[in-house]
Amino acid sequence: MKTLQICNERVHKDGTTVMDGEAAVCTTSLEGLQTVLKSPLLLGPHNAANIRAVVTDPRLQCCSDFTGKIVEVRLEADEQQRHAICHSLMYPSAVYLCHFVPQGRLYSVTLKPSNADDEELVQAVGICHMDTRGWDPLHLAFLNVHTTPGHGEACHWLLKGSIAFVNNDAYQK
C-alpha cells in the first residue's frame, strides 16, 4: 500500500511531498526505468550514452556501525548538472521512484574500513539538497541538526536500492 501511495500521491519514502521544480515518476520494470532515463523528464536533453550510474557499495548497507577513514571526496554533479535519484520500492515486482531535485549536489566518498586490508576501499554516495526553503520545518533533516528551512543544506546517504544517474552531456570536469 505504501508503494502505491508513493507513486500515486507523489510522496517520498519518508512521507514528504514532491516539491516545486522536482520531477518525479514511478516505473514498474527495469525496461521502464531505462525508458525514463532516456527521456528528458529527469535528466534533461541528453545522449543516453553519456549517462553514468553512481551507487553505494553494498557492504555499506547498514553503515551505522561503520568505522574507517575518508580517502577521497568527489563531486559527481553540482547544482547545474542534471542528475536523478532512483529508489527501489517494496513490491512483488520491480518498482522504482525516480526524481530530479533542482539545486542538488551529488558526491561519492571513498572510504577505507578500519578493519580492512590496505587495498580494500568502499564507495558511499551522498546527496546534498542546497535549497531547503520549501521544506517542512518538522523534517528530520532540520530536527537532527537544530536548524530551519532555508538555513543550510540537507545532506544524506544513498543506501540499499538507490541509484544515482548523472547526465554528463552538458558538464565536463
Side-chain angles (χ1 to χ4, degrees), residues 136-149:
D136 182 341
L138 298 177
H139 193 285
L140 279 176
F142 303 122
L143 299 176
N144 287 335
V145 294
H146 309 291
T147 188
T148 57

Side-chain angles (χ1 to χ4, degrees), residues 6 11-13 24-26 85-87 89 95-99:
I6 288 169
V11 296
H12 295 292
K13 288 168 78 171
V25 64
C26 280
I85 310 299
C86 294
H87 308 282
L89 301 177
V95 175
Y96 291 89
L97 166 66
C98 297
H99 59 116

Side-chain angles (χ1 to χ4, degrees), residues 77-98:
D78 65 17
E79 297 93 329
Q80 283 71 51
Q81 187 179 9
R82 293 289 292 237
H83 53 281
I85 310 299
C86 294
H87 308 282
S88 65
L89 301 177
M90 288 192 58
Y91 206 71
S93 60
V95 175
Y96 291 89
L97 166 66
C98 297

Side-chain angles (χ1 to χ4, degrees), residues 16-153:
T16 58
T17 57
V18 172
M19 294 174 270
D20 287 342
E22 180 180 357
V25 64
C26 280
T27 179
T28 57
S29 68
L30 295 175
E31 292 81 10
L33 179 61
Q34 184 178 25
T35 300
V36 164
L37 292 171
K38 285 182 178 178
S39 82
L41 174 68
L42 299 176
L43 295 172
H46 64 280
N47 176 345
N50 291 336
I51 300 302
R52 196 164 46 84
V54 186
V55 297
T56 293
D57 189 300
R59 293 172 289 178
L60 290 176
Q61 295 310 322
C62 183
C63 64
S64 61
D65 60 354
F66 177 84
T67 57
K69 294 182 180 177
I70 295 174
V71 175
E72 177 185 22
V73 176
R74 177 183 164 101
L75 179 65
E76 297 288 349
D78 65 17
E79 297 93 329
Q80 283 71 51
Q81 187 179 9
R82 293 289 292 237
H83 53 281
I85 310 299
C86 294
H87 308 282
S88 65
L89 301 177
M90 288 192 58
Y91 206 71
S93 60
V95 175
Y96 291 89
L97 166 66
C98 297
H99 59 116
F100 157 73
V101 180
Q103 297 300 312
R105 289 184 188 168
L106 184 70
Y107 293 93
S108 63
V109 181
T110 304
L111 305 162
K112 181 180 183 315
S114 56
N115 59 352
D117 62 39
D118 289 339
E119 313 249 330
E120 184 180 359
L121 299 174
V122 294
Q123 178 176 288
V125 178
I127 180 89
C128 289
H129 304 272
M130 305 309 291
D131 183 359
T132 59
R133 287 176 292 181
W135 289 37
D136 182 341
L138 298 177
H139 193 285
L140 279 176
F142 303 122
L143 299 176
N144 287 335
V145 294
H146 309 291
T147 188
T148 57
H151 293 95
E153 66 276 357

